[in-house]
Amino acid sequence: MRGLWTTDRVRAAEERVLARVPAGSLMRRAAFGVAVAAVDVLGGRGRVGLLVGAGNNGGDALWAGYYLRRRGIAVSAVLLDPARAHAEGLAAFRRAGGRVVDRLRDVDLVVDGIVGLSGRGPLRPAAAEHVAHLDAPVLAVDLPSGVDPDTGAVDGPAVRAAVTVTFGCLKPVHVLADCGDVRLVDLGLGPELGGPDLVELDLVDVGAAWPVPGPDDDKYTQGVTGVAAGSATYPGAAVLATGSALLATSGMVRYAGAAAEDVRARWPEAICTGSITDAGRVQSWVVGPGLGTGLGAEDVVRAVLEAGVPVCADADAITVLANNPDLWDARDPDTPVVLTPHDREYERLAGEVGPDRVAAAQRAAARFGAVVLLKGHATVVAGPDGRVLVNRARTSWAATAGSGDVLSGLIGSLLAAGLDPLLAAGCAVRLHVLAADLAADGAPIPATALLAAVPDAVRAVRREVS
């Protein structure tokens, strides 16, 4: 489990640490970490260029240049604002033999020290011009310049980093945006930070939480998942969601809907009926994938919300709720609900997402009293109690038709097993990404291949625990 802290929290912690350590010591420690990472990335090559902005971020880059020069590495620096360059860092850089140039040429690595955590908005024109002409990999100091540190939003020219070296703790940008390989330099901020603002689950967290049957369990005690999905037009959604719930845990799955014959043909283990009223007792419901949005779908969503068990509402169920907000009245206020919108579904349900995806998920979670899983390359899972999990996909192989149906089945099965709804959603997202990566192995895949890789993904996270 990795915590992430917003910039205001980080600055306050840094100020408390700076008050009790020698002046400049934190900067030099941070810069030494940048230099060590640069040497590793260089892999024996020996030319580094610095893009140096004003203030402390530029100071980190200059001091890193100083340490690199002491290792015999050729270092040149462009001062984007010479009058405001960090004086002590620049003096040390020059003493060590570093060169100040007008443009970086023939370098093997560029250190981005343009702006740090205080920066907001895109790169200014002069910096953007230098970045546009780069043909070497970039190592970003703290974060890629031009990317918002708290939201990960990019609104214009920005640095694309192969490696980011950050200090003290991870920040939201390191999960919400592509920062390349993120490396952390410890500055002793831990005792000053307090609890994190966001949390990213590791594989060991998922493995520890994933339901495993015990000697006294049977198909009922492990949780029965109900799936109300699919239609004559979209039977595949029912097949995928049901299959995912079956493969995720060792309990039972009851399918109810128009695709009963298709589901039964693919998954004979599932108990299939044509109507939700005939489905029998379940410990959770998955509703929405391929369901449609007509009157029949409204009746299904209402029946699921009235059942009094945790619900994962996905796809068409979200649209039905957006079009018929009175349906929320059918739900007991204590009944857990997990909503799984992508951006367009979110807009129908709760308005524009905007650049701050964490804030958007939190708004909707508070409004509906539900866990909101806002899908994307960086998925945000927000609970109505203010807790937030984030998950950054390492690849994009899960961006394929039917992938969301598999995710819904995973969530539903974990809800039926009794997991906390926020944890159920977070674990499902993490395992879903892992299954996609295992199935793809570097090539495009359909959702059926992702589904087939679910058992391998469960084995992988369980191995992390043993």
Side-chain angles (χ1 to χ4, degrees), residues 39-130:
V39 170
D40 181 50
V41 174
L42 282 169
R45 294 166 293 174
R47 296 170 298 178
V48 175
L50 313 178
L51 289 177
V52 180
N56 289 342
N57 197 255
D60 292 336
L62 288 166
W63 274 108
Y66 163 80
Y67 289 119
L68 290 168
R69 283 296 304 135
R70 290 182 59 179
R71 290 173 177 256
I73 296 171
V75 186
S76 55
V78 172
L79 306 181
L80 296 169
D81 190 349
R84 298 173 59 206
H86 190 274
E88 186 179 354
L90 180 57
F93 175 69
R94 282 178 160 147
R95 281 198 311 271
R99 296 186 306 120
V100 175
V101 298
D102 293 329
R103 186 173 295 278
L104 299 181
R105 296 181 177 87
D106 300 322
V107 296
D108 301 302
L109 178 70
V110 175
V111 174
D112 163 27
I114 302 172
V115 294
L117 294 184
S118 61
R120 292 293 187 274
L123 294 175
R124 293 181 179 178
E129 182 183 357
H130 283 281

Side-chain angles (χ1 to χ4, degrees), residues 1-2 200-210 423 427 465:
M1 185 177 296
R2 302 196 302 172
E200 182 180 32
L201 297 178
D202 292 324
L203 292 183
V204 68
D205 302 316
V206 179
W210 207 268
L423 183 61
C427 287
V465 180

Side-chain angles (χ1 to χ4, degrees), residues 69-366:
R69 283 296 304 135
R70 290 182 59 179
R71 290 173 177 256
I73 296 171
V75 186
S76 55
V78 172
L79 306 181
L80 296 169
D81 190 349
R84 298 173 59 206
H86 190 274
E88 186 179 354
L90 180 57
F93 175 69
R94 282 178 160 147
R95 281 198 311 271
R99 296 186 306 120
V100 175
V101 298
D102 293 329
R103 186 173 295 278
L104 299 181
R105 296 181 177 87
D106 300 322
V107 296
D108 301 302
L109 178 70
V110 175
V111 174
D112 163 27
I114 302 172
V115 294
L117 294 184
S118 61
R120 292 293 187 274
L123 294 175
R124 293 181 179 178
E129 182 183 357
H130 283 281
V131 169
H133 288 90
L134 297 179
D135 58 3
V138 176
L139 186 157
V141 177
D142 224 358
L143 79 167
S145 297
V147 183
D148 189 279
D150 285 332
T151 69
V154 178
D155 186 24
V159 168
R160 186 174 182 85
V163 177
T164 297
V165 179
T166 192
F167 317 117
C169 64
L170 297 176
K171 293 82 178 177
V173 64
H174 299 129
V175 173
L176 297 175
D178 183 4
C179 297
D181 177 20
V182 179
R183 307 185 186 191
L184 177 63
V185 176
D186 184 17
L187 297 182
L189 298 187
E192 303 293 343
L193 286 167
D197 297 293
L198 313 175
V199 170
E200 182 180 32
L201 297 178
D202 292 324
L203 292 183
V204 68
D205 302 316
V206 179
W210 207 268
V212 176
D216 297 325
D217 276 318
D218 59 34
K219 61 188 177 184
Y220 297 109
T221 62
Q222 296 175 79
V224 180
T225 307
V227 178
S231 60
T233 306
Y234 301 110
V239 172
L240 290 168
T242 302
S244 178
L246 282 165
L247 294 175
T249 71
S250 301
M252 177 188 289
V253 178
R254 299 183 186 274
Y255 171 79
E261 290 303 317
D262 297 273
V263 172
R264 187 180 294 110
R266 178 62 182 86
W267 302 108
E269 305 92 337
I271 310 302
C272 298
T273 59
S275 168
I276 194 169
T277 57
D278 299 327
R281 189 171 182 178
V282 300
Q283 276 73 57
S284 76
W285 275 108
V286 175
V287 62
L291 187 66
T293 57
L295 291 176
E298 293 176 23
D299 292 338
V300 170
V301 172
R302 180 180 291 102
V304 164
L305 291 176
E306 288 175 342
V309 298
V311 174
C312 175
D314 181 37
D316 287 337
I318 295 173
T319 300
V320 168
L321 287 167
N323 293 340
N324 304 273
D326 290 346
L327 282 174
W328 284 106
D329 295 338
R331 168 203 180 194
D332 186 304
D334 293 331
T335 299
V337 172
V338 178
L339 300 168
T340 62
H342 54 58
D343 284 22
R344 294 177 300 282
E345 290 167 340
Y346 181 99
E347 288 175 9
R348 292 195 285 272
L349 187 69
E352 185 178 356
V353 173
D356 191 339
R357 298 176 61 78
V358 171
Q362 288 177 311
R363 285 196 306 272

Side-chain angles (χ1 to χ4, degrees), residues 240 375 396-407 432 436 439-440 443-451:
L240 290 168
K375 296 175 182 174
S396 298
W397 298 120
T400 186
S403 171
D405 307 331
V406 177
L407 176 60
H432 184 260
I445 53 164
T448 50
L450 191 163
L451 175 62

